[in-house]
Amino acid sequence: MAARKTARQAAHSTACVEEAEEIVKELRMALKSAGITLPSLRLDAASVAREAPCPLIELGRCNVETAARIAAALR
């Protein structure tokens, strides 16, 4: 029973990381279509390295011009 639970947890963790990776790709493409690049956009390594990953997406830092472009795109 413990082996099945561990296998389910591993499958769930894998699915969570894959979903997060896909979202990063989608966000990168959406930002690109708005003329915005966030060079640091990626999965947060520490959140993925946990025993039971719960991925966070690192948006990173940007300059004032990029922040203004993001704000305009969201309006």
Side-chain angles (χ1 to χ4, degrees):
M1 176 122 171
R4 278 191 283 178
K5 186 175 181 182
T6 302
R8 279 196 306 261
Q9 288 172 332
H12 176 73
S13 294
T14 299
C16 287
V17 172
E18 289 173 352
E19 179 183 21
E21 288 172 337
E22 186 60 34
I23 293 299
V24 167
K25 288 178 190 175
E26 289 178 23
L27 180 56
R28 185 173 283 121
M29 289 186 330
L31 288 167
K32 184 176 181 177
S33 71
I36 299 167
T37 300
L38 294 177
S40 299
L41 180 62
R42 65 180 178 273
L43 291 184
D44 174 65
S47 68
V48 176
R50 296 175 19 185
E51 184 177 325
C54 183
L56 297 174
I57 297 172
E58 178 71 44
L59 298 175
R61 300 179 340 175
C62 66
N63 62 31
V64 174
E65 179 186 347
T66 300
R69 293 172 79 189
I70 291 170
L74 293 173
R75 285 190 204 113

